[in-house]
Amino acid sequence: YDLGLKMSADLILRLVGKDRIERVAEIVRIMNETGLRASELLRASDKLPRVECTNCVYHDLAKDYPAVCRFDIGFLSGLMGAEVEHQSCMHREATACRFRFKPYS
């Protein structure tokens, strides 16, 4: 988690001045630049798009060390400045990893 937060700090400037929806779009671009196949997923009940990844660059490592998934949570949290819910995980046999940004309290 902490390493993900640290890595996000170098990219924060790309998000300055963007609203939350624009931030999600930029976060998806950043994730795609790192080799992930990320996209925005918007359900009718969502106020903010979720992030979905259909590949996992850590898949083999996560089999033995499930905590590696916390990197993505820290990275996304740092970029958005909000808590992230890891809704599904390819490591846990889902078809994609899905992340939802929790509303500000």
Side-chain angles (χ1 to χ4, degrees):
Y1 183 87
D2 291 339
L3 182 58
L5 277 175
K6 192 176 202 177
M7 297 286 293
S8 70
D10 294 335
L11 299 163
I12 289 293
L13 289 176
R14 290 180 58 173
L15 303 167
V16 171
K18 294 181 178 357
D19 65 31
R20 291 188 85 205
I21 291 174
E22 293 168 331
R23 279 181 171 235
V24 173
E26 187 65 23
I27 288 167
V28 165
R29 278 191 283 280
I30 289 168
M31 293 178 83
N32 284 316
E33 290 168 10
T34 66
L36 292 166
R37 284 190 309 267
S39 61
E40 296 176 57
L41 178 66
L42 186 62
R43 296 180 179 153
S45 61
D46 290 341
K47 294 181 181 177
L48 192 64
R50 299 164 196 236
V51 173
E52 177 179 84
C53 297
T54 57
N55 70 324
C56 178
V57 295
Y58 318 112
H59 191 68
D60 291 335
L61 184 61
K63 288 177 186 175
D64 295 326
Y65 304 98
V68 78
C69 298
R70 303 272 312 142
F71 173 87
D72 286 333
I73 296 167
F75 186 71
L76 292 170
S77 179
L79 289 174
M80 182 58 89
E83 286 186 64
V84 175
E85 178 185 354
H86 193 184
Q87 295 185 307
S88 67
C89 182
M90 293 175 70
H91 167 65
R92 294 187 304 262
E93 313 226 1
T95 58
C97 292
R98 290 186 190 91
F99 305 91
R100 181 181 77 87
F101 298 103
K102 294 184 179 181
Y104 297 129
S105 30

